[in-house]
Amino acid sequence: MNGKRLRLVYNPYAGRRKLTGQLDTVIRIFQESGYEVCAHRASSLEDMELIASHSNDVDRFVIAGGDGSIHQAVNGLLKMPENERPALGILPVGTANDLAYALRLPKSIPEACKVIAKGNILQMDTGQVNNRYFVNVASAGLLTDVSQKVDTRVKNTLGQLAYFLKGIETLPSFRPFYVEFQAEGRQYSEEVVLFMAVNGHSVGGLRHLVPKASLTDGKLDIIIVPASGWPETIRFLLNVLRKEKVESEKIKEFQTSELTVYTDRVIKSDLDGEGGPESTWQVRIGPKISVLY
């Protein structure tokens, strides 16, 4: 060993327990690359955040899980001073794996381990809503809290289909809401069905939603879908679910580094598939974080 230390934290239930059968292989690859490996089986997503926040004693912090697991890890790592923060490695074993897609990480666990061991580092943007960080998307409105409502066992069995089925179930009870904010020198005030601030290339496995988004440009891509009647909304959803490019003159898209959003009633947000702050939202670019790719 050459003194390098690596902490591996894994979600044992992520992606049909994809990692657990390969855990010995993972540890072997890291050890052969010169790392002293400390492995933790996380008891909850909150446990991942806690472990990450106390990981200033390692060179690499590796999270094995989906976007929700990465979300918790990033929020933990960003509690540490920048000069004490280890680089983040990702083993993509979740359902959508949006960040892994944006980073072009291998789907194979052994190959993803080799990427981490190689050590190329990207200084990646994060987003921030009030006092919480996100890596892919902050959203509110139609379908945005679906991943929170889907049972883990159903998600592991049906994959992304579970999100779509749960989404359809929530449509009859959904109520549009008003948003108000200033951007590009203009004042916006309108009823919407969906608000999104996107950092990565992919949202919930949908690869064509924000094709020009960048993880390093210091900007968030804002997407707003106005409440323009159910026929228009259903057409939008069908295009999204078919993974087709969503084009409509009514959909507002722009980039910004900071935005304050007011709503007509208290609305919950969703950050990377996990519950986020209630409105009002101060949405901005957060600190950079070192990610292995």
Side-chain angles (χ1 to χ4, degrees):
M1 298 289 179
N2 60 8
K4 297 188 296 183
R5 302 190 68 197
L6 180 150
R7 177 159 293 128
L8 167 66
V9 180
Y10 66 98
N11 177 354
Y13 303 107
R16 303 180 180 92
R17 300 176 181 264
K18 185 178 178 182
L19 180 83
T20 52
Q22 301 185 61
L23 192 55
D24 183 68
T25 299
V26 169
I27 293 173
R28 175 183 59 78
I29 292 172
F30 287 144
Q31 286 182 341
E32 289 177 352
S33 301
Y35 285 95
E36 177 187 346
V37 179
C38 176
H40 290 263
R41 179 187 187 277
S43 58
S44 65
L45 289 175
E46 293 74 21
D47 192 29
M48 292 181 175
E49 182 171 335
L50 179 62
I51 296 169
S53 69
H54 291 85
S55 290
N56 57 349
D57 58 337
V58 297
D59 305 285
R60 301 282 184 261
F61 182 88
V62 179
I63 192 78
D67 293 302
S69 300
I70 298 168
H71 170 87
Q72 300 294 151
V74 166
N75 274 275
L77 291 173
L78 288 175
K79 290 178 180 177
M80 290 189 286
E82 183 180 357
N83 63 343
E84 296 181 13
R85 214 177 287 150
L88 174 65
I90 296 166
L91 298 182
V93 295
T95 304
N97 299 312
D98 287 323
L99 183 58
Y101 170 80
L103 293 169
R104 299 181 180 178
L105 297 179
K107 293 181 181 179
S108 159
I109 291 177
E111 292 303 314
C113 289
K114 293 174 184 176
V115 167
I116 293 167
K118 187 178 179 182
N120 291 332
I121 291 179
L122 177 73
Q123 294 300 321
M124 185 186 81
D125 293 335
T126 63
Q128 185 174 352
V129 177
N130 298 355
N131 63 346
R132 291 291 290 177
Y133 301 103
F134 64 94
V135 291
N136 286 307
V137 60
S139 58
L142 196 61
L143 304 183
T144 57
D145 62 349
V146 167
S147 64
Q148 300 173 44
K149 296 177 179 178
V150 176
D151 183 88
T152 300
R153 292 167 296 180
V154 176
K155 191 188 302 183
N156 287 340
T157 302
L158 298 180
Q160 286 178 257
L161 178 61
Y163 294 133
F164 301 153
L165 294 176
K166 191 68 178 180
I168 292 170
E169 181 184 315
T170 63
L171 289 180
S173 60
F174 177 77
R175 287 174 57 207
F177 57 99
Y178 276 91
V179 296
E180 183 177 328
F181 58 91
Q182 286 186 338
E184 301 174 310
R186 294 174 57 191
Q187 182 82 21
Y188 289 85
S189 179
E190 60 187 318
E191 191 178 37
V192 304
V193 296
L194 179 63
F195 171 89
M196 291 196 295
V198 183
N199 185 45
H201 296 257
S202 172
V203 177
L206 303 169
R207 311 305 193 200
H208 302 289
L209 204 56
V210 197
K212 296 181 181 179
S214 167
L215 291 168
T216 59
D217 63 356
K219 299 284 186 180
L220 296 169
D221 287 74
I222 308 297
I223 298 177
I224 298 169
V225 182
S228 50
W230 280 115
E232 180 79 14
T233 301
I234 295 298
R235 278 195 295 273
F236 167 79
L237 290 176
L238 287 174
N239 284 339
V240 168
L241 298 184
R242 289 171 184 158
K243 302 186 180 182
E244 297 175 356
K245 181 171 174 55
V246 179
E247 293 182 329
S248 170
E249 293 180 357
K250 296 180 181 179
I251 296 175
K252 291 181 172 60
E253 299 182 54
F254 59 91
Q255 286 189 318
T256 187
S257 58
E258 189 170 0
L259 190 68
T260 301
V261 182
Y262 303 92
T263 59
D264 64 330
R265 64 181 190 272
V266 174
I267 301 292
K268 293 182 179 179
S269 65
D270 178 282
L271 308 184
D272 299 324
E274 303 300 316
E278 295 180 340
S279 55
T280 300
W281 304 303
Q282 292 183 323
V283 184
R284 61 172 68 91
I285 281 287
K288 295 274 189 181
I289 192 164
S290 299
V291 180
L292 296 151
Y293 75 109

